């Protein structure tokens, strides 16, 4: 019962917090949640399953406060996929019929990379962060010939780019006098 509740709460997280980040079909995820919940309530008893779901929901909300949104969305997509659930992520951010590089072909062939690619596209498109394209002939993706290498390249690029942006935003949020006092003229 807890495995099903975990999967449903991960699916709820995806539908509630990751629609924009992963460009997923939240309606399809919500439909899958409804089907899964109905079956679980029949299998385990409605009241007991709802009680377990409340515990899992509360844990997920705490987790959301602790984890960065992009990383959380990727994690939830992978967890739901591992449990055989529908995530609403039905491909990478680009059209697989139009691929031009080996890296793009690898991403299209591996559903485990789709959330990483969509998160990188979100960071570039919606957050305005500098991200190398997976189809580029240079950059971290050009050296990869396996899915594991591409996953590591996405992770490294997302971490570095988001951390860099966070530091820039922190610095620009501080008052000018405080910035000057930290860097005395030499």
């Amino acid at each position: 019962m807890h495995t099903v509740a975990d999967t449903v709460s991960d699916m709820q997280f995806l539908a509630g917090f990751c629609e924009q980040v992963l460009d997923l079909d939240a309606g399809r995820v919500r439909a899958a949640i409804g089907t899964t919940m109905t079956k679980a309530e029949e299998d385990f008893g409605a009241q007991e399953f709802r009680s377990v779901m409340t515990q899992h929901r509360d844990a997920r909300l705490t987790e959301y406060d602790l984890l960065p949104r992009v990383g959380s969305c990727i994690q939830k997509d992978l967890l739901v996929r591992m449990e055989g659930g529908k995530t609403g992520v039905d491909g990478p951010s680009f059209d697989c019929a139009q691929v031009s590089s080996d890296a793009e072909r690898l991403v299209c062939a591996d559903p485990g990379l789709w959330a990483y690619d969509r998160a990188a596209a979100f960071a570039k498109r919606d957050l305005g962060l500098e991200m190398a394209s997976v189809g580029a002939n240079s950059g971290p993706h050009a050296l990869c010939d396996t899915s594991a290498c591409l996953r590591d390249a996405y992770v490294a690029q997302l971490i570095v780019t988001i951390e860099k942006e966070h530091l820039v935003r922190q610095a620009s949020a501080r008052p000018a006098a405080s910035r000057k006092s930290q860097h005395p003229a030499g």
Side-chain angles (χ1 to χ4, degrees):
M1 175 171 25
H2 285 277
T3 301
V4 175
D6 241 359
T7 300
V8 169
S9 95
D10 287 341
M11 292 167 74
Q12 289 172 329
F13 187 96
L14 281 168
F17 297 114
C18 302
E19 182 174 13
Q20 188 179 25
V21 172
L22 298 180
D23 190 27
L24 59 81
D25 183 349
R28 197 166 75 192
V29 176
R30 286 184 188 96
I33 291 168
T35 302
T36 305
M37 295 247 335
T38 299
K39 179 158 178 18
E41 288 173 354
E42 290 170 3
D43 292 348
F44 306 116
Q47 189 172 2
E48 188 173 345
F49 186 70
R50 286 183 191 143
S51 172
V52 170
M53 278 303 305
T54 299
Q55 294 167 11
H56 283 267
R57 184 202 63 224
D58 293 346
R60 292 298 176 249
L61 291 174
T62 300
E63 200 173 274
Y64 178 68
D65 289 338
L66 299 175
L67 297 172
R69 182 175 177 195
V70 171
S72 296
C73 291
I74 293 169
Q75 177 193 39
K76 298 308 177 197
D77 176 79
L78 295 174
L79 289 170
V80 170
R81 282 182 191 284
M82 286 174 30
E83 294 296 328
K86 293 182 177 20
T87 68
V89 176
D90 56 2
S93 65
F94 54 87
D95 183 355
C96 287
Q98 306 286 326
V99 297
S100 60
S101 73
D102 290 338
E104 287 175 319
R105 281 186 267 292
L106 278 170
V107 172
C108 288
D110 187 347
L113 293 174
W114 296 349
Y116 289 101
D117 180 72
R118 286 180 178 227
F122 168 78
K124 184 176 186 175
R125 178 189 67 241
D126 293 12
L127 303 179
L129 304 181
E130 290 183 35
M131 301 289 292
S133 169
V134 72
N137 291 325
S138 62
H141 304 99
L143 303 173
C144 291
D145 59 359
T146 66
S147 292
C149 177
L150 275 173
R151 183 196 63 243
D152 293 346
Y154 275 122
V155 168
Q157 186 178 17
L158 283 164
I159 288 170
V160 167
T161 303
I162 291 170
E163 284 293 319
K164 180 178 155 187
E165 178 67 14
H166 177 70
L167 292 173
V168 167
R169 286 183 184 174
Q170 270 187 331
S172 65
R174 276 185 279 175
S178 134
R179 285 192 298 250
K180 288 179 186 173
S181 67
Q182 290 181 358
H183 302 288

PDB file of all heavy atoms in Angstrom, residues 19-34:
ATOM      1  N   GLU A  19       4.405  20.769 -14.190  1.00  0.00           N
ATOM      2  CA  GLU A  19       3.818  20.913 -15.518  1.00  0.00           C
ATOM      3  C   GLU A  19       4.642  21.863 -16.383  1.00  0.00           C
ATOM      4  O   GLU A  19       4.973  21.562 -17.528  1.00  0.00           O
ATOM      5  CB  GLU A  19       2.372  21.414 -15.411  1.00  0.00           C
ATOM      6  CG  GLU A  19       1.686  21.544 -16.748  1.00  0.00           C
ATOM      7  CD  GLU A  19       0.218  21.910 -16.620  1.00  0.00           C
ATOM      8  OE1 GLU A  19      -0.231  22.303 -15.519  1.00  0.00           O
ATOM      9  OE2 GLU A  19      -0.472  21.815 -17.633  1.00  0.00           O
ATOM     10  N   GLN A  20       5.019  22.997 -15.836  1.00  0.00           N
ATOM     11  CA  GLN A  20       5.773  23.985 -16.594  1.00  0.00           C
ATOM     12  C   GLN A  20       7.234  23.556 -16.775  1.00  0.00           C
ATOM     13  O   GLN A  20       7.781  23.668 -17.863  1.00  0.00           O
ATOM     14  CB  GLN A  20       5.712  25.334 -15.888  1.00  0.00           C
ATOM     15  CG  GLN A  20       6.293  26.466 -16.683  1.00  0.00           C
ATOM     16  CD  GLN A  20       6.182  27.783 -15.927  1.00  0.00           C
ATOM     17  OE1 GLN A  20       6.104  27.810 -14.706  1.00  0.00           O
ATOM     18  NE2 GLN A  20       6.196  28.881 -16.658  1.00  0.00           N
ATOM     19  N   VAL A  21       7.848  23.034 -15.735  1.00  0.00           N
ATOM     20  CA  VAL A  21       9.269  22.658 -15.806  1.00  0.00           C
ATOM     21  C   VAL A  21       9.499  21.554 -16.819  1.00  0.00           C
ATOM     22  O   VAL A  21      10.440  21.603 -17.611  1.00  0.00           O
ATOM     23  CB  VAL A  21       9.791  22.206 -14.415  1.00  0.00           C
ATOM     24  CG1 VAL A  21      11.193  21.635 -14.515  1.00  0.00           C
ATOM     25  CG2 VAL A  21       9.777  23.374 -13.444  1.00  0.00           C
ATOM     26  N   LEU A  22       8.634  20.535 -16.823  1.00  0.00           N
ATOM     27  CA  LEU A  22       8.826  19.388 -17.708  1.00  0.00           C
ATOM     28  C   LEU A  22       7.937  19.438 -18.942  1.00  0.00           C
ATOM     29  O   LEU A  22       7.970  18.527 -19.760  1.00  0.00           O
ATOM     30  CB  LEU A  22       8.581  18.086 -16.947  1.00  0.00           C
ATOM     31  CG  LEU A  22       9.524  17.824 -15.776  1.00  0.00           C
ATOM     32  CD1 LEU A  22       9.176  16.501 -15.111  1.00  0.00           C
ATOM     33  CD2 LEU A  22      10.974  17.839 -16.211  1.00  0.00           C
ATOM     34  N   ASP A  23       7.137  20.497 -19.073  1.00  0.00           N
ATOM     35  CA  ASP A  23       6.229  20.642 -20.200  1.00  0.00           C
ATOM     36  C   ASP A  23       5.432  19.353 -20.387  1.00  0.00           C
ATOM     37  O   ASP A  23       5.390  18.775 -21.460  1.00  0.00           O
ATOM     38  CB  ASP A  23       7.011  20.999 -21.470  1.00  0.00           C
ATOM     39  CG  ASP A  23       6.096  21.399 -22.619  1.00  0.00           C
ATOM     40  OD1 ASP A  23       4.981  21.889 -22.347  1.00  0.00           O
ATOM     41  OD2 ASP A  23       6.488  21.192 -23.783  1.00  0.00           O
ATOM     42  N   LEU A  24       4.823  18.891 -19.304  1.00  0.00           N
ATOM     43  CA  LEU A  24       4.106  17.622 -19.342  1.00  0.00           C
ATOM     44  C   LEU A  24       2.612  17.830 -19.447  1.00  0.00           C
ATOM     45  O   LEU A  24       2.097  18.918 -19.221  1.00  0.00           O
ATOM     46  CB  LEU A  24       4.454  16.753 -18.132  1.00  0.00           C
ATOM     47  CG  LEU A  24       4.188  17.298 -16.720  1.00  0.00           C
ATOM     48  CD1 LEU A  24       2.747  17.127 -16.308  1.00  0.00           C
ATOM     49  CD2 LEU A  24       5.098  16.594 -15.753  1.00  0.00           C
ATOM     50  N   ASP A  25       1.920  16.773 -19.800  1.00  0.00           N
ATOM     51  CA  ASP A  25       0.468  16.786 -19.917  1.00  0.00           C
ATOM     52  C   ASP A  25      -0.117  16.463 -18.542  1.00  0.00           C
ATOM     53  O   ASP A  25      -0.333  15.303 -18.195  1.00  0.00           O
ATOM     54  CB  ASP A  25       0.031  15.756 -20.956  1.00  0.00           C
ATOM     55  CG  ASP A  25      -1.470  15.749 -21.187  1.00  0.00           C
ATOM     56  OD1 ASP A  25      -2.222  16.391 -20.407  1.00  0.00           O
ATOM     57  OD2 ASP A  25      -1.900  15.087 -22.145  1.00  0.00           O
ATOM     58  N   ALA A  26      -0.359  17.493 -17.740  1.00  0.00           N
ATOM     59  CA  ALA A  26      -0.838  17.305 -16.368  1.00  0.00           C
ATOM     60  C   ALA A  26      -2.216  16.654 -16.346  1.00  0.00           C
ATOM     61  O   ALA A  26      -2.528  15.891 -15.427  1.00  0.00           O
ATOM     62  CB  ALA A  26      -0.863  18.638 -15.622  1.00  0.00           C
ATOM     63  N   GLY A  27      -3.036  16.909 -17.346  1.00  0.00           N
ATOM     64  CA  GLY A  27      -4.356  16.280 -17.414  1.00  0.00           C
ATOM     65  C   GLY A  27      -4.251  14.768 -17.513  1.00  0.00           C
ATOM     66  O   GLY A  27      -5.004  14.033 -16.868  1.00  0.00           O
ATOM     67  N   ARG A  28      -3.294  14.311 -18.298  1.00  0.00           N
ATOM     68  CA  ARG A  28      -3.087  12.866 -18.436  1.00  0.00           C
ATOM     69  C   ARG A  28      -2.581  12.267 -17.124  1.00  0.00           C
ATOM     70  O   ARG A  28      -2.990  11.178 -16.731  1.00  0.00           O
ATOM     71  CB  ARG A  28      -2.109  12.589 -19.581  1.00  0.00           C
ATOM     72  CG  ARG A  28      -2.163  11.155 -20.045  1.00  0.00           C
ATOM     73  CD  ARG A  28      -1.487  10.959 -21.349  1.00  0.00           C
ATOM     74  NE  ARG A  28      -0.051  10.987 -21.128  1.00  0.00           N
ATOM     75  CZ  ARG A  28       0.830  11.061 -22.095  1.00  0.00           C
ATOM     76  NH1 ARG A  28       0.441  11.150 -23.338  1.00  0.00           N
ATOM     77  NH2 ARG A  28       2.113  11.065 -21.832  1.00  0.00           N
ATOM     78  N   VAL A  29      -1.724  13.011 -16.429  1.00  0.00           N
ATOM     79  CA  VAL A  29      -1.215  12.533 -15.139  1.00  0.00           C
ATOM     80  C   VAL A  29      -2.358  12.469 -14.128  1.00  0.00           C
ATOM     81  O   VAL A  29      -2.499  11.490 -13.394  1.00  0.00           O
ATOM     82  CB  VAL A  29      -0.070  13.433 -14.619  1.00  0.00           C
ATOM     83  CG1 VAL A  29       0.387  12.984 -13.240  1.00  0.00           C
ATOM     84  CG2 VAL A  29       1.101  13.437 -15.589  1.00  0.00           C
ATOM     85  N   ARG A  30      -3.210  13.505 -14.102  1.00  0.00           N
ATOM     86  CA  ARG A  30      -4.333  13.513 -13.164  1.00  0.00           C
ATOM     87  C   ARG A  30      -5.297  12.357 -13.441  1.00  0.00           C
ATOM     88  O   ARG A  30      -5.839  11.751 -12.509  1.00  0.00           O
ATOM     89  CB  ARG A  30      -5.052  14.859 -13.218  1.00  0.00           C
ATOM     90  CG  ARG A  30      -4.273  15.968 -12.547  1.00  0.00           C
ATOM     91  CD  ARG A  30      -5.048  17.285 -12.510  1.00  0.00           C
ATOM     92  NE  ARG A  30      -4.187  18.341 -12.026  1.00  0.00           N
ATOM     93  CZ  ARG A  30      -3.509  19.184 -12.800  1.00  0.00           C
ATOM     94  NH1 ARG A  30      -3.614  19.125 -14.118  1.00  0.00           N
ATOM     95  NH2 ARG A  30      -2.736  20.114 -12.274  1.00  0.00           N
ATOM     96  N   ALA A  31      -5.507  12.041 -14.717  1.00  0.00           N
ATOM     97  CA  ALA A  31      -6.372  10.906 -15.062  1.00  0.00           C
ATOM     98  C   ALA A  31      -5.759   9.601 -14.541  1.00  0.00           C
ATOM     99  O   ALA A  31      -6.474   8.747 -13.983  1.00  0.00           O
ATOM    100  CB  ALA A  31      -6.583  10.836 -16.568  1.00  0.00           C
ATOM    101  N   ALA A  32      -4.453   9.451 -14.698  1.00  0.00           N
ATOM    102  CA  ALA A  32      -3.767   8.249 -14.200  1.00  0.00           C
ATOM    103  C   ALA A  32      -3.826   8.191 -12.672  1.00  0.00           C
ATOM    104  O   ALA A  32      -3.979   7.105 -12.090  1.00  0.00           O
ATOM    105  CB  ALA A  32      -2.320   8.228 -14.682  1.00  0.00           C
ATOM    106  N   ILE A  33      -3.749   9.347 -12.021  1.00  0.00           N
ATOM    107  CA  ILE A  33      -3.865   9.398 -10.555  1.00  0.00           C
ATOM    108  C   ILE A  33      -5.247   8.894 -10.136  1.00  0.00           C
ATOM    109  O   ILE A  33      -5.374   8.072  -9.228  1.00  0.00           O
ATOM    110  CB  ILE A  33      -3.635  10.828 -10.020  1.00  0.00           C
ATOM    111  CG1 ILE A  33      -2.176  11.239 -10.194  1.00  0.00           C
ATOM    112  CG2 ILE A  33      -4.058  10.942  -8.558  1.00  0.00           C
ATOM    113  CD1 ILE A  33      -1.928  12.727  -9.971  1.00  0.00           C
ATOM    114  N   GLY A  34      -6.281   9.376 -10.802  1.00  0.00           N
ATOM    115  CA  GLY A  34      -7.648   8.967 -10.471  1.00  0.00           C
ATOM    116  C   GLY A  34      -7.838   7.467 -10.610  1.00  0.00           C
ATOM    117  O   GLY A  34      -8.409   6.811  -9.722  1.00  0.00           O
TER     118      GLY A  34
END
